[in-house]
Amino acid sequence: MPTTVVLTEDALTDADVAHILSLHDERAERYRVLVPSDTDRNVIAAIIDHLWVGELREAGQDLVGKEPSPEQAKVTAAERLERSLAALRAAGVAAEGTVTEEDPLPALSAAVAAQGGPDGVQDVVVVTYPHVVADTFRNDWASRAREHLQVPVLHLYAGTSEIGD
């Protein structure tokens, strides 16, 4: 049975795991989780994203440049990865993962190739918060992955049952 590769920008919640597991009639044998170490965000896009969902405080923090250091970003990503793996394992599935660079697409391509490409990967599930600018202009991770990978790519919004474009 093939692997499902999960790319997430935050730790998977129990709701996210339940949603991912419910996507298939048959569960994947393994789940491979990738969490990027994000230190280079587009400030304007981040501010618009926060304002779009009414997060005024977070928009203000982005405006004054509260970017994490590379070391802080890696520690945060590692913590998110461990929480995600724990949530998947608690749901009774085998899971492994890795922290990627800021742009996770090369690592995502490598993970798909390492699992045997389309023959070894059931699908890729991208879990993010809504990103108005990236989603609108199809520059989000899921859209970029669909252009480059030869496997199905699903986009879920974190903490909800909503499917992204």
Side-chain angles (χ1 to χ4, degrees):
M1 192 176 297
T3 298
T4 290
V5 180
V6 179
L7 171 60
T8 183
E9 69 180 331
D10 202 350
L12 296 174
T13 64
D14 291 339
D16 295 328
V17 169
H19 195 192
I20 290 168
L21 297 181
S22 75
L23 293 173
H24 312 99
D25 291 336
E26 229 175 274
R27 287 186 182 172
E29 185 175 293
R30 291 182 312 246
Y31 289 81
R32 175 98 175 117
V33 181
L34 305 175
V35 179
S37 173
D38 186 17
T39 61
D40 189 27
R41 294 180 41 193
N42 180 319
V43 175
I44 301 298
I47 291 169
I48 291 170
D49 290 342
H50 287 304
L51 292 175
W52 182 258
V53 294
E55 297 173 340
L56 299 178
R57 181 179 307 153
E58 290 84 350
Q61 289 174 343
D62 282 337
L63 187 61
V64 296
K66 299 237 180 205
E67 294 284 329
S69 71
E71 295 79 24
Q72 290 170 324
K74 286 180 183 175
V75 167
T76 299
E79 290 169 353
R80 290 173 176 166
L81 174 62
E82 287 307 314
R83 290 196 324 258
S84 297
L85 295 175
L88 283 162
R89 291 172 183 151
V93 297
E96 61 182 12
T98 223
V99 171
T100 74
E101 297 298 319
E102 294 172 17
D103 180 1
L105 272 293
L108 182 59
S109 294
V112 169
Q115 299 300 321
D119 294 330
V121 173
Q122 182 171 349
D123 56 7
V124 171
V125 179
V126 178
V127 183
T128 68
Y129 295 103
H131 296 287
V132 178
V133 175
D135 291 350
T136 300
F137 293 105
R138 302 281 190 258
N139 193 32
D140 59 289
W141 294 340
S143 295
R144 291 174 52 212
R146 284 185 197 110
E147 290 177 15
H148 295 92
L149 302 176
Q150 297 177 344
V151 297
V153 177
L154 305 167
H155 186 191
L156 305 177
Y157 287 133
T160 73
S161 60
E162 294 181 43
I163 297 176
D165 290 331

